[in-house]
């Protein structure tokens, strides 16, 4: 299985690309090879040189081989043996290929490697053994490949890693042990890997990490421990990883994080603790993470947020707390997060937002509060969020929008209020949203649009009112919307649409009138590009003549499937 994360692995792959040319790791063919094939090439393989070098690549992928082919040229630089049916590799199988820099044995049915199978490959830089049936490797398996930069052992059946297995691989940058059956790792499992940049242990059965496990990995930049069976994060486990930038602990069983568990990770930029069992966060959960940019805590069981929990995360840009059990947002809940740009709190159980809950969030651009049960928005709830441009409040039990509900959101561009059961937007309920471009009120219970509802929304471009109970639209309500070019009033109860109603909408381009109770309609929007009409009980007599003419003269505006919509026999 391919690595799911980026990082140093990408750099290694780019090195491979530069050395070997633009061929994939599996089933590659030398389509870009320019020179004549080597006469020494095994009959079952394809050989060639790169256009820009004299380095020889040998392609024996997916040839149904049960043993290594004879006659592989001594000067081969890259050898592709993936997708075959080897059960094992015998000792000294590659001893005459001392110049080999790349060896791909992915998905080749390997159940074992002889301890001396890699003898002679002292120039090998990249070894891929993923997707085999390897259950264990002898302690000195890689003794003969001291130049390895990347080693792929993912998607095997490894149940153990013996101490000393990687001894001598001081130049290894990328080690993938993901998606095996590792339940326990010895203290010295990674001893000698002083240059390691990326370590993947995802998809194993690890339940415990001992403090000594990662000692000596001072150059590590990325550590993936996702999808294991970890139940807690102990103190001092990561303290010797001063250069770590990304730490993935998601999809475990973590119920507790020890105070100061992340001390020492001064270079950490990305921390993922999502999909665990965390019930709460302490004030000393994240001290020292001064450089953290992304913190993911979604899909846990966090029931509340304490003030100052995130106080040290001054450079945090993304905080995900969605799909938890938070019931209340206290004042100063997000103190210190002056650089935060994305905050997700959707699908919690939030019923109350205290005054000052969002104070200090000077840079937030996207906030998601959907899927809670707020019932009402307190006055000044969003005060200070002048840079917010997208606010999600879908499925939030909002019955009414009260006056000044969005005060302080002077820069808001998109407001999503669908699926709330809103029966009314009171006077000045949308006041202060002069920069709003998109307003979504779909699937509510609005039966009437007050004449001053959209006052001040002169920049609005998208207005979505589908799925309400509107029986009529008034010209007064729509008059301020001179820049609207998308209007959706489908699935309402409109019985008539007088000619003057749409007259103020000089920029209207897309109009959806599906599934109403309209019998006639005279189109008065000269720039209309698309009109949806189906699901109305049209009177196909003279009153519909103008609409029929539009359909005939501009067939692109009224789709063919719409023209007969609602016609009675």
């Amino acid at each position: 299985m391919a690595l799911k994360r980026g990082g140093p692995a990408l750099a290694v792959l780019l090195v491979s690309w530069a050395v070997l040319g633009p061929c994939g790791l599996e089933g590659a063919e030398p389509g870009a090879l320019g020179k004549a094939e080597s006469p020494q090439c095994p009959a079952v393989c394809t050989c060639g040189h790169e256009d820009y070098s004299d380095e020889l690549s040998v392609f024996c992928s997916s040839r149904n081989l049960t043993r290594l082919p004879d006659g592989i040229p001594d000067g081969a630089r890259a050898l592709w043996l993936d997708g075959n049916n080897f059960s094992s590799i015998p000792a000294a199988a590659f001893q005459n290929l001392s110049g080999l820099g790349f060896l791909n044995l992915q998905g080749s049915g390997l159940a074992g490697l002889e301890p001396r199978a890699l003898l002679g490959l002292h120039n090998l830089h990249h070894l891929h053994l993923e997707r085999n049936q390897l259950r264990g490797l002898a302690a000195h398996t890689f003794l003969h490949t001291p130049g390895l930069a990347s080693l792929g052992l993912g998607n095997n059946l490894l149940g153990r890693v013996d101490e000393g297995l990687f001894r001598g691989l001081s130049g290894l940058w990328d080690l993938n042990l993901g998606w095996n059956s590792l339940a326990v790792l010895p203290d010295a499992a990674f001893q000698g890997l002083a240059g390691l940049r990326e370590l993947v242990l995802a998809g194993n059965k690890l339940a415990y990490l001992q403090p000594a496990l990662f000692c000596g990995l001072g150059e590590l930049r990325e550590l993936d421990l996702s999808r294991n069976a970890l139940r807690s994060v102990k103190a001092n486990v990561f303290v010797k990883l001063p250069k770590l930038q990304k730490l993935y602990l998601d999809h475990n069983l973590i119920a507790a994080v020890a105070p100061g568990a992340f001390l020492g990770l001064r270079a950490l930029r990305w921390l993922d603790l999502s999909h665990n069992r965390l019930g709460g966060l302490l004030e000393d959960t994240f001290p020292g993470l001064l450089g953290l940019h992304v913190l993911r805590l979604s899909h846990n069981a966090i029931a509340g947020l304490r003030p100052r929990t995130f106080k040290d995360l001054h450079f945090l840009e993304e905080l995900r707390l969605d799909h938890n059990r938070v019931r209340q947002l206290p004042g100063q809940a997000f103190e210190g997060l002056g650089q935060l740009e994305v905050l997700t709190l959707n699908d919690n159980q939030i019923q109350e937002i205290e005054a000052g809950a969002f104070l200090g969030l000077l840079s937030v651009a996207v906030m998601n509060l959907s899927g809670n049960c707020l019932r009402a928005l307190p006055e000044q709830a969003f005060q200070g969020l002048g840079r917010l441009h997208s606010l999600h409040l879908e499925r939030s039990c909002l019955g009414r929008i009260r006056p000044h509900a969005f005060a302080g959101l002077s820069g808001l561009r998109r407001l999503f209020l669908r699926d709330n059961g809103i029966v009314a937007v009171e006077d000045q309920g949308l006041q202060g949203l002069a920069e709003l471009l998109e307003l979504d009120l779909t699937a509510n219970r609005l039966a009437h649009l007050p004449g001053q509802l959209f006052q001040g929304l002169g920049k609005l471009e998208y207005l979505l009112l589908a799925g309400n109970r509107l029986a009529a639209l008034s010209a007064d309500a729509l008059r301020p919307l001179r820049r609207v070019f998308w209007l959706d009033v489908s699935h309402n109860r409109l019985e008539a649409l007088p000619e003057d109603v749409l007259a103020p909408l000089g920029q209207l381009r897309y109009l959806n009138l599906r599934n109403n109770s309209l019998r006639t309609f005279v189109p008065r929007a000269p720039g209309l590009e698309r009109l949806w009409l189906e699901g109305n009980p049209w009177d196909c007599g003279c009153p519909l003549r103008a609409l029929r003419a539009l359909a005939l003269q501009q067939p692109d505006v009224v789709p063919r499937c719409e023209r007969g919509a609602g016609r009675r026999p």
Side-chain angles (χ1 to χ4, degrees), residues 60-210:
C60 308
S61 302
S62 303
R63 301 299 202 270
N64 203 29
L65 300 174
T66 57
R67 63 180 181 84
L68 298 183
D70 296 326
I72 297 174
D74 296 347
R77 181 69 178 85
L79 178 57
W80 307 73
L81 291 165
D82 51 296
N84 284 294
N85 295 309
F86 309 124
S87 59
S88 66
I89 301 296
F94 306 103
Q95 63 179 345
N96 295 324
L97 302 177
S98 59
L100 204 63
F102 179 95
L103 177 57
N104 186 356
L105 285 161
Q106 290 188 67
S108 288
L110 292 176
L113 284 180
E114 293 293 331
R116 300 174 70 247
L118 305 176
L119 180 68
L121 296 179
H122 51 270
N123 288 313
L124 193 67
H125 298 306
H126 309 289
L127 176 58
H128 291 276
L129 291 163
E130 297 96 328
R131 295 187 298 103
N132 282 291
Q133 285 91 48
L134 298 173
R135 295 182 179 275
L137 295 169
H140 303 297
T141 299
F142 305 111
L143 180 65
H144 308 289
T145 56
L148 277 182
S150 66
L151 175 57
L153 290 165
N155 288 91
N156 277 281
L157 303 172
L158 295 174
R160 71 180 194 282
V161 172
D162 292 337
E163 288 192 16
L165 177 61
F166 307 116
R167 189 171 292 128
L169 302 182
S170 58
L172 194 68
W173 276 48
D174 174 16
L175 175 58
N176 183 359
L177 285 163
W179 309 99
N180 279 285
S181 298
L182 300 172
V184 178
L185 292 170
D187 286 355
F190 307 114
Q191 190 175 37
L193 300 181
L196 197 65
R197 300 297 199 274
E198 179 174 343
L199 176 58
V200 177
L201 291 164
N204 281 285
K205 301 176 181 179
L206 299 172
Y208 175 76
L209 302 174
Q210 59 270 40

Side-chain angles (χ1 to χ4, degrees), residues 272-315:
D272 194 343
L273 281 159
S274 63
H275 295 271
N276 279 289
R277 299 179 179 181
L278 291 172
L281 301 171
L282 304 176
E283 189 173 329
D284 53 3
T285 300
F286 305 112
L289 297 181
L290 301 179
L292 197 65
H293 289 174
V294 176
L295 176 57
R296 295 188 169 176
L297 294 161
S298 55
H299 292 274
N300 276 281
I302 298 170
L305 298 176
R306 300 169 183 260
R308 298 172 56 81
T309 297
F310 309 108
K311 67 181 187 304
D312 289 336
L313 308 182
H314 302 302
F315 294 99

Side-chain angles (χ1 to χ4, degrees), residues 235-471:
N236 301 319
V237 173
F238 307 114
V239 72
K240 299 293 186 181
L241 302 176
K243 296 184 179 181
L244 194 68
Q245 297 178 5
K246 293 184 178 181
L247 176 57
Y248 302 99
L249 291 161
D250 52 287
H251 292 88
N252 277 279
L253 306 172
I254 298 171
V257 175
F262 304 113
L263 283 174
L265 298 179
R266 55 181 178 271
L268 199 66
R269 299 291 183 268
W270 188 300
L271 175 58
D272 194 343
L273 281 159
S274 63
H275 295 271
N276 279 289
R277 299 179 179 181
L278 291 172
L281 301 171
L282 304 176
E283 189 173 329
D284 53 3
T285 300
F286 305 112
L289 297 181
L290 301 179
L292 197 65
H293 289 174
V294 176
L295 176 57
R296 295 188 169 176
L297 294 161
S298 55
H299 292 274
N300 276 281
I302 298 170
L305 298 176
R306 300 169 183 260
R308 298 172 56 81
T309 297
F310 309 108
K311 67 181 187 304
D312 289 336
L313 308 182
H314 302 302
F315 294 99
L316 198 67
E317 297 174 353
E318 177 183 316
L319 175 58
R320 296 192 177 272
L321 284 158
D322 53 278
H323 294 88
N324 278 283
R325 300 175 185 175
V326 177
R327 293 179 175 275
Q328 179 187 43
L329 295 181
Q332 299 181 310
F334 305 105
E335 181 182 350
L337 301 182
Q339 299 298 316
L340 196 69
E341 297 178 1
V342 176
L343 174 61
T344 66
L345 288 157
N346 52 289
D347 296 284
N348 277 276
Q349 300 170 13
I350 299 172
Q351 298 181 11
E352 181 181 359
I353 300 176
E354 290 188 4
F358 300 124
L359 281 179
L361 297 179
L362 304 177
S363 302
V364 165
V366 178
M367 182 182 292
N368 194 339
L369 285 162
S370 61
N372 287 287
C373 205
L374 299 171
R375 299 192 182 280
L377 295 174
E379 288 190 21
Q380 311 298 321
F382 303 110
Q383 198 67 36
L385 302 180
R387 293 188 181 180
L388 191 70
H389 69 65
S390 295
L391 176 59
H392 292 264
L393 284 163
E394 303 99 320
R395 300 177 290 108
S396 294
C397 304
L398 297 173
R400 307 178 74 86
I401 302 298
R402 302 189 185 281
H404 311 292
F406 304 108
L409 300 181
S410 57
L412 198 67
R413 304 292 196 275
R414 293 173 178 82
L415 177 58
F416 303 95
L417 292 164
R418 66 183 300 150
D419 291 300
N420 270 291
I422 296 171
V423 297
V425 179
E426 298 182 6
D427 287 344
Q428 301 183 337
L430 300 175
Q431 189 180 44
L433 302 180
E435 299 297 320
L436 200 65
L437 301 176
E438 181 175 353
L439 175 59
D440 188 352
L441 282 160
T442 303
N444 282 289
R445 299 178 183 176
L446 295 172
H448 172 66
L449 300 181
Q452 301 297 312
L453 177 61
F454 302 121
Q455 196 68 38
L457 304 186
K459 293 185 178 181
L460 198 69
E461 297 178 350
Y462 293 86
L463 178 57
L464 309 179
L465 292 163
N468 280 279
R469 300 176 180 180
L470 298 172

Side-chain angles (χ1 to χ4, degrees), residues 30 33-50 54-59 70-78:
L33 302 178
K35 298 184 181 180
E37 294 186 359
S38 170
Q40 304 176 38
C41 192
V44 296
C45 304
T46 304
C47 303
H49 295 81
E50 304 298 338
D54 290 328
E55 294 180 344
L56 180 65
S57 295
V58 181
F59 299 88
D70 296 326
I72 297 174
D74 296 347
R77 181 69 178 85

